[in-house]
Coordinates of all heavy atoms in Angstrom, one line a residue:
M13 N 0.8 -1.2 0.0 CA 0.0 0.0 0.0 C 0.9 1.2 0.0 O 1.8 1.4 0.8 CB -0.9 0.0 1.2 CG -1.7 1.2 1.4 SD -2.9 1.2 2.7 CE -1.9 1.7 4.1
E14 N 0.7 2.1 -0.9 CA 1.4 3.4 -1.0 C 0.6 4.5 -0.3 O -0.6 4.6 -0.5 CB 1.6 3.8 -2.5 CG 2.6 4.9 -2.6 CD 3.0 5.1 -4.0 OE1 3.3 4.2 -4.7 OE2 3.0 6.3 -4.4
L15 N 1.3 5.2 0.6 CA 0.6 6.2 1.4 C 0.6 7.6 0.7 O -0.1 8.5 1.1 CB 1.3 6.4 2.7 CG 1.4 5.1 3.6 CD1 2.2 5.3 4.9 CD2 0.0 4.7 3.9
G16 N 1.4 7.8 -0.3 CA 1.4 9.1 -1.1 C 1.9 10.2 -0.2 O 1.3 11.3 -0.2
L17 N 3.1 10.0 0.4 CA 3.6 11.1 1.3 C 4.8 11.9 0.7 O 5.4 12.7 1.4 CB 4.1 10.4 2.6 CG 3.0 9.7 3.5 CD1 3.6 9.0 4.7 CD2 1.9 10.7 3.9
K18 N 5.0 11.7 -0.5 CA 6.1 12.4 -1.2 C 5.9 13.9 -1.0 O 4.8 14.4 -1.3 CB 6.3 12.0 -2.6 CG 7.5 12.6 -3.3 CD 7.7 11.9 -4.6 CE 8.9 12.5 -5.3 NZ 10.2 12.0 -4.8
G19 N 6.9 14.6 -0.5 CA 6.8 16.0 -0.3 C 6.2 16.5 1.0 O 6.1 17.7 1.3
C20 N 5.7 15.5 1.8 CA 5.0 15.9 3.1 C 6.1 15.9 4.2 O 7.2 15.3 4.0 CB 4.0 14.8 3.4 SG 2.6 14.8 2.4
V21 N 5.8 16.6 5.3 CA 6.6 16.6 6.5 C 5.8 16.0 7.6 O 4.7 16.4 7.8 CB 7.0 18.1 6.8 CG1 7.8 18.1 8.1 CG2 7.8 18.7 5.6
A22 N 6.5 15.1 8.4 CA 5.8 14.5 9.5 C 6.6 14.7 10.8 O 7.9 14.6 10.8 CB 5.6 13.0 9.3
I23 N 6.0 15.1 11.9 CA 6.6 15.2 13.2 C 6.1 14.0 14.0 O 4.9 13.8 14.2 CB 6.3 16.5 13.9 CG1 6.7 17.7 13.1 CG2 6.9 16.5 15.3 CD1 6.2 19.0 13.6
V24 N 7.0 13.1 14.4 CA 6.6 11.8 15.1 C 7.1 11.9 16.5 O 8.3 11.9 16.7 CB 7.1 10.6 14.3 CG1 6.7 9.3 15.0 CG2 6.7 10.6 12.9
T25 N 6.2 12.0 17.5 CA 6.6 12.0 18.9 C 6.8 10.6 19.3 O 6.1 9.7 18.9 CB 5.6 12.7 19.8 OG1 4.3 12.1 19.6 CG2 5.4 14.2 19.4
G26 N 7.8 10.4 20.2 CA 8.2 9.0 20.6 C 8.8 8.3 19.4 O 8.7 7.1 19.3
G27 N 9.4 9.0 18.5 CA 9.9 8.5 17.2 C 11.2 7.8 17.2 O 11.6 7.2 16.2
A28 N 11.9 7.7 18.3 CA 13.2 7.1 18.3 C 13.2 5.6 18.6 O 14.2 4.9 18.4 CB 14.1 7.7 19.4
N29 N 12.0 5.0 19.0 CA 12.0 3.5 19.2 C 10.6 3.0 19.1 O 9.6 3.8 19.0 CB 12.6 3.1 20.5 CG 11.9 3.7 21.7 OD1 10.7 4.0 21.7 ND2 12.7 4.0 22.8
G30 N 10.4 1.7 19.0 CA 9.1 1.1 19.0 C 8.2 1.5 17.8 O 8.7 1.6 16.7
I31 N 7.0 1.7 18.1 CA 6.0 2.0 17.1 C 6.4 3.4 16.4 O 6.3 3.5 15.2 CB 4.6 2.1 17.6 CG1 4.1 0.7 18.1 CG2 3.6 2.7 16.6 CD1 2.8 0.7 18.9
G32 N 6.8 4.3 17.2 CA 7.2 5.6 16.6 C 8.3 5.5 15.6 O 8.3 6.1 14.5
A33 N 9.3 4.6 15.9 CA 10.4 4.4 14.9 C 9.9 3.7 13.7 O 10.3 4.1 12.6 CB 11.5 3.6 15.6
A34 N 9.0 2.8 13.8 CA 8.5 2.1 12.7 C 7.7 3.1 11.8 O 7.8 3.0 10.5 CB 7.5 0.9 13.1
I35 N 7.0 4.0 12.4 CA 6.2 5.0 11.6 C 7.2 5.9 10.9 O 7.0 6.2 9.7 CB 5.3 5.8 12.6 CG1 4.2 5.0 13.1 CG2 4.8 7.1 11.9 CD1 3.4 5.6 14.2
C36 N 8.3 6.3 11.5 CA 9.3 7.2 10.9 C 9.9 6.4 9.7 O 10.0 7.0 8.6 CB 10.4 7.5 11.9 SG 10.0 8.7 13.1
E37 N 10.2 5.2 9.9 CA 10.8 4.4 8.8 C 9.9 4.3 7.6 O 10.3 4.5 6.4 CB 11.2 3.0 9.2 CG 12.4 3.0 10.1 CD 12.8 1.7 10.7 OE1 11.9 0.8 10.7 OE2 14.0 1.5 11.0
R38 N 8.6 4.0 7.8 CA 7.6 3.9 6.8 C 7.4 5.2 6.0 O 7.4 5.3 4.8 CB 6.3 3.4 7.3 CG 5.3 3.2 6.3 CD 5.7 2.2 5.2 NE 4.8 2.2 4.1 CZ 4.2 1.1 3.6 NH1 4.5 -0.1 4.1 NH2 3.4 1.2 2.6
F39 N 7.3 6.3 6.8 CA 7.1 7.6 6.2 C 8.3 8.0 5.3 O 8.1 8.5 4.2 CB 6.9 8.7 7.3 CG 5.5 8.7 7.9 CD1 4.6 7.7 7.7 CD2 5.2 9.7 8.8 CE1 3.3 7.8 8.2 CE2 4.0 9.8 9.4 CZ 3.0 8.8 9.1
V40 N 9.5 7.7 5.8 CA 10.7 8.0 5.0 C 10.7 7.2 3.7 O 11.0 7.7 2.6 CB 12.0 7.8 5.8 CG1 13.2 7.7 4.9 CG2 12.2 8.9 6.8
L41 N 10.3 5.9 3.8 CA 10.2 5.1 2.6 C 9.2 5.6 1.6 O 9.4 5.4 0.4 CB 9.9 3.6 3.0 CG 11.0 2.8 3.7 CD1 10.4 1.5 4.1 CD2 12.1 2.6 2.7
E42 N 8.2 6.2 2.1 CA 7.1 6.8 1.3 C 7.4 8.2 0.8 O 6.6 8.8 0.1 CB 5.8 6.8 2.1 CG 5.3 5.4 2.4 CD 4.8 4.7 1.2 OE1 4.4 5.3 0.1 OE2 4.7 3.4 1.2
G43 N 8.6 8.7 1.1 CA 9.0 10.0 0.6 C 8.8 11.2 1.5 O 9.1 12.3 1.0
A44 N 8.4 11.0 2.7 CA 8.2 12.1 3.6 C 9.5 12.5 4.3 O 10.4 11.7 4.4 CB 7.2 11.8 4.7
S45 N 9.6 13.8 4.6 CA 10.6 14.3 5.5 C 10.1 14.1 6.9 O 8.9 14.4 7.2 CB 10.9 15.8 5.3 OG 11.3 16.0 3.9
V46 N 11.0 13.6 7.8 CA 10.5 13.3 9.2 C 11.3 14.0 10.2 O 12.5 14.1 10.2 CB 10.7 11.7 9.4 CG1 10.3 11.3 10.8 CG2 9.9 11.0 8.4
M47 N 10.6 14.5 11.2 CA 11.2 15.1 12.4 C 11.0 14.0 13.5 O 9.9 13.8 13.9 CB 10.5 16.4 12.8 CG 11.0 17.0 14.2 SD 12.8 17.4 14.2 CE 12.7 18.9 13.2
V48 N 12.1 13.5 14.0 CA 12.1 12.5 15.1 C 12.1 13.2 16.4 O 13.1 13.8 16.7 CB 13.3 11.5 15.0 CG1 13.2 10.4 16.1 CG2 13.3 10.8 13.6
A49 N 11.0 13.2 17.1 CA 10.9 13.9 18.4 C 10.8 12.8 19.5 O 10.0 11.9 19.5 CB 9.7 14.7 18.5
D50 N 11.7 12.9 20.5 CA 11.8 11.9 21.6 C 12.4 12.5 22.8 O 13.2 13.5 22.7 CB 12.5 10.7 21.1 CG 12.1 9.4 21.9 OD1 12.6 9.3 23.0 OD2 11.4 8.6 21.4
I51 N 12.2 11.9 23.9 CA 12.8 12.4 25.2 C 14.3 11.9 25.3 O 15.1 12.6 25.9 CB 12.0 11.9 26.4 CG1 12.4 12.6 27.6 CG2 12.2 10.4 26.6 CD1 11.5 12.4 28.8
D52 N 14.7 10.9 24.5 CA 16.0 10.4 24.6 C 16.9 11.0 23.4 O 16.9 10.5 22.3 CB 16.0 8.8 24.4 CG 17.3 8.2 24.6 OD1 18.4 8.8 24.5 OD2 17.4 7.0 24.9
G53 N 17.6 12.1 23.7 CA 18.3 12.8 22.7 C 19.3 12.0 22.0 O 19.4 12.1 20.7
A54 N 20.1 11.2 22.7 CA 21.1 10.4 22.0 C 20.5 9.4 21.0 O 21.0 9.2 19.9 CB 22.0 9.7 23.0
R55 N 19.4 8.7 21.5 CA 18.8 7.7 20.6 C 18.1 8.4 19.4 O 18.2 7.9 18.3 CB 17.7 7.0 21.4 CG 17.1 5.9 20.6 CD 16.1 5.1 21.4 NE 16.8 4.2 22.3 CZ 16.2 3.4 23.1 NH1 14.9 3.3 23.2 NH2 16.9 2.6 23.9
E56 N 17.5 9.5 19.6 CA 16.8 10.2 18.5 C 17.8 10.6 17.4 O 17.6 10.5 16.2 CB 15.9 11.3 18.9 CG 16.7 12.6 19.3 CD 15.9 13.6 20.1 OE1 15.0 13.3 20.7 OE2 16.4 14.7 20.0
D57 N 19.0 11.2 17.9 CA 20.0 11.6 17.0 C 20.5 10.4 16.1 O 20.7 10.5 14.9 CB 21.2 12.3 17.7 CG 20.8 13.6 18.2 OD1 19.9 14.2 17.8 OD2 21.5 14.1 19.1
A58 N 20.8 9.3 16.8 CA 21.3 8.1 16.1 C 20.3 7.6 15.1 O 20.6 7.1 14.0 CB 21.7 7.1 17.1
F59 N 19.0 7.6 15.5 CA 18.0 7.0 14.7 C 17.8 7.9 13.4 O 17.7 7.4 12.3 CB 16.7 6.9 15.4 CG 15.6 6.2 14.6 CD1 15.8 5.0 14.1 CD2 14.5 6.9 14.3 CE1 14.8 4.4 13.3 CE2 13.5 6.4 13.5 CZ 13.6 5.1 13.0
A60 N 17.8 9.2 13.6 CA 17.6 10.1 12.5 C 18.8 10.0 11.6 O 18.7 10.0 10.3 CB 17.5 11.6 13.0
E61 N 20.0 9.8 12.1 CA 21.2 9.5 11.2 C 21.0 8.2 10.4 O 21.4 8.2 9.3 CB 22.5 9.5 12.1 CG 23.7 9.2 11.3 CD 24.0 10.2 10.2 OE1 23.7 11.4 10.5 OE2 24.5 9.8 9.2
S62 N 20.5 7.2 11.1 CA 20.3 5.9 10.3 C 19.3 6.1 9.2 O 19.4 5.5 8.2 CB 19.8 4.8 11.3 OG 18.5 5.0 11.7
L63 N 18.3 7.0 9.4 CA 17.3 7.3 8.3 C 18.0 8.0 7.2 O 17.7 7.7 6.0 CB 16.1 8.0 8.9 CG 15.2 7.3 9.9 CD1 14.2 8.3 10.5 CD2 14.5 6.1 9.2
R64 N 18.8 9.0 7.5 CA 19.6 9.7 6.5 C 20.5 8.8 5.8 O 20.7 9.0 4.5 CB 20.3 10.9 7.1 CG 19.4 12.0 7.6 CD 20.2 13.2 8.0 NE 21.0 13.1 9.1 CZ 20.7 13.3 10.4 NH1 19.4 13.6 10.7 NH2 21.5 13.1 11.4
A65 N 21.1 7.8 6.4 CA 22.0 6.9 5.8 C 21.2 6.0 4.7 O 21.9 5.5 3.8 CB 22.6 5.9 6.8
K66 N 19.9 5.9 4.9 CA 19.1 5.2 3.9 C 18.5 6.2 2.9 O 17.5 5.9 2.3 CB 18.0 4.5 4.6 CG 18.4 3.4 5.6 CD 17.3 2.8 6.4 CE 17.7 1.9 7.5 NZ 16.6 1.4 8.3
D67 N 19.1 7.3 2.7 CA 18.7 8.4 1.8 C 17.4 9.0 2.2 O 16.7 9.6 1.3 CB 18.6 7.8 0.3 CG 20.0 7.4 -0.2 OD1 21.0 8.1 0.2 OD2 20.1 6.5 -1.0
G68 N 17.0 9.0 3.4 CA 15.8 9.6 3.9 C 16.2 11.1 4.3 O 17.3 11.4 4.6
V69 N 15.2 11.9 4.5 CA 15.3 13.2 5.0 C 14.8 13.2 6.4 O 13.6 13.0 6.6 CB 14.6 14.3 4.2 CG1 14.7 15.6 4.8 CG2 15.0 14.2 2.7
A70 N 15.7 13.3 7.4 CA 15.2 13.2 8.8 C 16.1 14.2 9.7 O 17.3 14.3 9.5 CB 15.4 11.8 9.3
Q71 N 15.4 14.8 10.7 CA 16.0 15.6 11.7 C 15.5 15.1 13.0 O 14.6 14.3 13.1 CB 15.7 17.1 11.5 CG 16.1 17.7 10.2 CD 17.7 17.8 10.2 OE1 18.3 18.1 11.2 NE2 18.2 17.5 9.0
S72 N 16.2 15.5 14.1 CA 15.8 15.1 15.4 C 15.7 16.3 16.4 O 16.3 17.3 16.2 CB 16.7 14.0 16.0 OG 18.0 14.6 16.1
I73 N 14.8 16.1 17.4 CA 14.7 17.2 18.4 C 14.3 16.5 19.7 O 13.5 15.5 19.7 CB 13.6 18.2 18.0 CG1 13.5 19.3 19.0 CG2 12.2 17.5 17.8 CD1 12.7 20.5 18.5
A74 N 14.9 17.0 20.8 CA 14.6 16.4 22.1 C 13.3 17.1 22.6 O 13.2 18.3 22.6 CB 15.8 16.6 23.1
V75 N 12.4 16.3 23.1 CA 11.1 16.9 23.6 C 10.8 16.1 24.9 O 11.2 15.0 25.1 CB 10.0 16.8 22.6 CG1 10.2 17.7 21.4 CG2 9.7 15.4 22.2
D76 N 10.0 16.7 25.8 CA 9.6 16.1 27.0 C 8.1 16.4 27.2 O 7.7 17.5 27.1 CB 10.4 16.6 28.2 CG 10.0 15.9 29.5 OD1 9.2 15.0 29.4 OD2 10.6 16.2 30.5

């Protein structure tokens, strides 16, 4: 199923692990730019970097 997210921007809270990380990965695969928002700054940075390594557009931000 194609979600048609090319050119969209998504902010995913709790995006560094679990369901949030799976959502980020799928959105990136569908062409969206993703903001990974999570309380764990080190994890979110590493995860956003892994998405960029897969040619995705991803940034991270620490939130509480």
